[in-house]
Amino acid sequence: MATFSSADDLPGEPISPWLATTGDDDRSVRTLEGTESVDVAVIGAGIAGLSTAIELRERDLTVAVLERDRIAAGVTGKTTAKLTSQHGLLYAHLRAEFGRRAASQYATAQEEAIDVVEDRIDELEIDCSFERVPSYLYSDTPDEVERETDAAQAAGIDASYVTSVPPFERAQAAVRFDDQAWFHPRRYLLGIADELRDDDGAAVYEHTRVTDVEPGSPCRLEMPGGEVTAEQIVLATGFPILDRAGYFARLHPKRSYVLGLRLEGQPPEGMYYRSGDSYRSVRTHRDDDGDLLLVGGENHKTGQGGSTTDRYRRLLRWARERFPVESVAYRWSTQDYVPADKVPFVGRVGPGAENTYVATGFRGWGMTNGVAAGRLLAGLLAGEQPPARTLFDPLRFTPKSSFASAVTENADAASQFATDWARTLLTPGLTSLEPGEGTVLRKGTRPIACSRAADGKLHVTSAVCTHMACLVEWNDAERSWDCPCHGSRFSPDGDVLEGPATDDLPTRRIK
Ligand SMILES: Cc1cc2nc3c(=O)[nH]c(=O)nc-3n(C[C@H](O)[C@H](O)[C@H](O)COP(=O)(O)OP(=O)(O)OC[C@H]3O[C@@H](n4cnc5c(N)ncnc54)[C@H](O)[C@@H]3O)c2cc1C
Ligand code: FES
């Protein structure tokens, strides 16, 4: 069995198969230069942003999509891409906390999203490995599975209680959802983006980072190369880059790890999920080189929880104990944002943010939720009254049990803020850093983030997150600086990689 002590020893290409197989696609990148005026500006070209954009065009509103990186290069390019209504143990929770009607609305939104994706694939002739397969949620607590099966059935899902799965590990019971799907998410979204590019009423700008958002009538967006005015804006940036309704207290970032494995023999036929803190997610992807088994798990709060290299190690050990692993083709990690009450925030941002909408908080289930969010938002922006708007309303009433969890998350971010600053102020100075290592230390009263690249070069930036001033932590597997408060991430040179921060970490000198 392979062992590895640093990220250099980790097997597999450090990229998802979705990004590896679509590369730096040969479409020319269009960056916004100058000014533009549209009905709706959508920030973010992941599944939520592009689904919103295409739905808006179907309602005849003009749209500009503004993306910091490339299309679907964010979380959407690193997902495991199960397109399913099965989102962990959820329907019993929804029924208990929000009621039967809300649980049905949630289920309908997800089931319809799978159909929408299938229809678009047919209509636009997108080749993206879409396949209908069953999805299984398994557990060693049969009561819990029975309750979930019952709640899912009551919500209108084709769900059944089974005892003979999964094929690769013991479990007492599972709930099976039929007619779910898997696909290649980036191929799908490149197809949607092509459709938007060919449309005079739409534009997709890449390498265009929005640095300031001014809600109003009209709204204004600033970016280094220009400015956009829009009647309405949609923040589809993952964690919202503008907070007018306390999102920072109601969402927390969770990072997870995925391996793309080649097996000796056939991979399992369905999609599998074991819920809980040490969740595992398993699916197959059929690519040009054969079948890949995708195994995900090892989630933790971004910027907290120790070595990330160890998480890959544990995941590989788990996979080897259950599957005849021939080789590791890919390894990657990414993060999603978890709302305390488990329901995404889709709708108006909140008070003081006129004409501004948001789609976030998919808690690891954004393939259907992102598509559903696009439908809901486009309806709202076009003046319709979609029935699910109350359930997903970002300003909704939060049930009591979820409120308690939100308070805990907020307290966690605050305590992280305080302890990190205190710890760093006690750190005396730079000890010897090996290639691939990073540490935060004090220079005078300023915390600085020092890391050493594989070639031995030292990189030094401010260690103070440009979002809300928490101190960043070194991520040894991804070689990045990750913020434990709301999940912003930065390269060793300080460039924003993801999260709500819009400004890079400034460079510092060590002497
Ligand atoms: C390990 C893992 C596995 C998962 N597997 C599944 C799965 O099997 N099924 C499922 O349903 N869900 C899954 N998810 C969740 C799902 O991938 C996400 O919920 C979904 O991709 C989020 O889409 P999004 O459009 O909101 O975000 P993103 O895809 O991250 O898109 C946001 C975009 O906004 C851009 N952006 C951010 N800030 C700015 C700015 N200032 N200016 C311009 N652009 C900006 C980013 O570059 C990014 O491209 C998984 C999540 C994780 C972490
Ligand atoms: S992400 Fe909010 S303080 Fe860093």
Side-chain angles (χ1 to χ4, degrees), residues 146-168:
E146 231 169 279
R147 262 198 312 278
E148 184 65 11
T149 311
D150 182 58
Q153 285 169 344
I157 289 174
D158 188 0
S160 47
Y161 181 89
V162 291
T163 51
S164 56
V165 287
F168 48 84

Side-chain angles (χ1 to χ4, degrees), residues 102-182:
S104 293
Q105 280 177 337
Y106 187 95
T108 305
Q110 314 307 318
E111 290 284 303
E112 284 179 359
I114 305 175
D115 295 340
V116 166
V117 172
E118 188 171 28
D119 290 348
R120 285 204 200 291
I121 289 169
D122 287 346
E123 188 196 332
L124 304 178
E125 298 179 1
I126 305 172
D127 177 9
C128 62
S129 312
F130 178 96
E131 227 181 303
R132 290 272 184 179
V133 284
S135 181
Y136 299 89
L137 168 72
Y138 63 95
S139 154
D140 270 334
T141 317
D143 286 357
E144 165 181 275
V145 175
E146 231 169 279
R147 262 198 312 278
E148 184 65 11
T149 311
D150 182 58
Q153 285 169 344
I157 289 174
D158 188 0
S160 47
Y161 181 89
V162 291
T163 51
S164 56
V165 287
F168 48 84
E169 72 174 338
R170 272 171 199 269
Q172 292 196 25
V175 49
R176 170 185 164 127
F177 284 17
D178 279 311
D179 241 2
Q180 310 297 292
W182 58 38

Side-chain angles (χ1 to χ4, degrees), residues 43-49 66-70 72-84 87 208-211 236-238 241 254-258 279 281 332-336 359-360 362-369 497 499 501-502:
I43 314 175
I47 195 154
L66 306 156
E67 168 54 48
R68 173 172 68 194
D69 194 336
R70 300 294 312 270
V75 187
T76 302
K78 298 166 193 153
T79 171
T80 42
K82 294 173 169 178
L83 199 51
T84 175
H87 295 173
T208 298
R209 187 201 301 181
V210 176
T211 49
T237 54
I241 56 170
K254 274 224 163 155
R255 243 184 131 67
S256 306
Y257 298 77
V258 190
Y279 90 92
S281 174
W332 71 99
S333 84
T334 185
Q335 66 194 35
D336 208 1
T360 188
F362 301 142
R363 56 178 278 282
W365 299 108
M367 294 297 102
T368 51
N369 267 313
L497 298 174
T502 53

Side-chain angles (χ1 to χ4, degrees), residues 103-418:
S104 293
Q105 280 177 337
Y106 187 95
T108 305
Q110 314 307 318
E111 290 284 303
E112 284 179 359
I114 305 175
D115 295 340
V116 166
V117 172
E118 188 171 28
D119 290 348
R120 285 204 200 291
I121 289 169
D122 287 346
E123 188 196 332
L124 304 178
E125 298 179 1
I126 305 172
D127 177 9
C128 62
S129 312
F130 178 96
E131 227 181 303
R132 290 272 184 179
V133 284
S135 181
Y136 299 89
L137 168 72
Y138 63 95
S139 154
D140 270 334
T141 317
D143 286 357
E144 165 181 275
V145 175
E146 231 169 279
R147 262 198 312 278
E148 184 65 11
T149 311
D150 182 58
Q153 285 169 344
I157 289 174
D158 188 0
S160 47
Y161 181 89
V162 291
T163 51
S164 56
V165 287
F168 48 84
E169 72 174 338
R170 272 171 199 269
Q172 292 196 25
V175 49
R176 170 185 164 127
F177 284 17
D178 279 311
D179 241 2
Q180 310 297 292
W182 58 38
F183 71 147
H184 186 311
R186 192 159 194 259
R187 287 213 172 111
Y188 171 70
L189 289 177
L190 289 173
I192 301 282
D194 282 347
E195 182 67 11
L196 291 169
R197 283 196 186 99
D198 290 344
D199 175 347
D200 289 342
V204 181
Y205 297 104
E206 298 172 87
H207 292 316
T208 298
R209 187 201 301 181
V210 176
T211 49
D212 199 22
V213 176
E214 259 184 54
S217 191
C219 308
R220 281 180 212 291
L221 303 178
E222 262 180 38
M223 47 232 77
E227 189 181 288
V228 173
T229 50
E231 295 307 317
Q232 309 188 86
I233 50 182
V234 172
L235 307 174
T237 54
F239 212 127
I241 56 170
L242 170 84
D243 191 0
R244 295 282 163 87
Y247 293 95
F248 302 137
R250 295 188 292 147
L251 280 177
H252 68 271
K254 274 224 163 155
R255 243 184 131 67
S256 306
Y257 298 77
V258 190
L259 298 170
L261 306 168
R262 302 273 178 217
L263 300 185
E264 288 160 7
Q266 294 298 309
E269 289 293 320
M271 302 189 282
Y272 303 89
Y273 187 83
R274 185 182 81 194
S275 69
D277 272 348
S278 57
Y279 90 92
R280 291 290 183 260
S281 174
V282 173
R283 68 157 278 197
T284 299
H285 168 60
R286 306 185 202 291
D287 73 4
D288 296 342
D289 298 325
D291 290 345
L292 266 182
L293 184 76
L294 309 186
V295 175
E298 290 296 323
N299 60 335
H300 64 99
K301 281 192 188 166
T302 304
Q304 302 185 31
S307 166
T308 50
T309 303
D310 286 348
R311 295 182 184 275
Y312 283 113
R313 183 169 49 75
R314 284 196 289 272
L315 196 57
L316 183 55
R317 191 190 310 131
W318 183 89
R320 283 186 192 280
E321 283 166 5
R322 286 159 183 81
F323 301 97
V325 176
E326 187 182 85
S327 62
V328 182
Y330 303 105
R331 67 171 154 90
W332 71 99
S333 84
T334 185
Q335 66 194 35
D336 208 1
Y337 303 96
V338 182
D341 65 11
K342 302 191 178 176
V343 175
F345 296 126
V346 183
R348 274 183 197 280
V349 160
E354 205 183 341
N355 297 318
T356 307
Y357 295 77
V358 68
T360 188
F362 301 142
R363 56 178 278 282
W365 299 108
M367 294 297 102
T368 51
N369 267 313
V371 174
R375 278 159 66 82
L376 178 54
L377 286 177
L380 287 172
L381 269 71
E384 299 161 16
Q385 304 267 305
R389 67 189 184 286
T390 314
L391 172 63
F392 292 102
D393 185 352
L395 304 173
R396 65 182 170 256
F397 164 75
T398 298
K400 255 190 198 159
S401 59
S402 305
F403 179 73
S405 148
V407 170
T408 313
E409 291 308 333
N410 205 13
D412 180 71
S415 93
Q416 198 67 40
F417 179 91

Side-chain angles (χ1 to χ4, degrees), residues 423-431 440-444:
R423 179 175 51 74
T424 302
L425 292 175
L426 292 172
T427 308
L430 183 62
T431 48
V440 173
L441 52 84
R442 167 168 52 105
K443 187 184 173 213

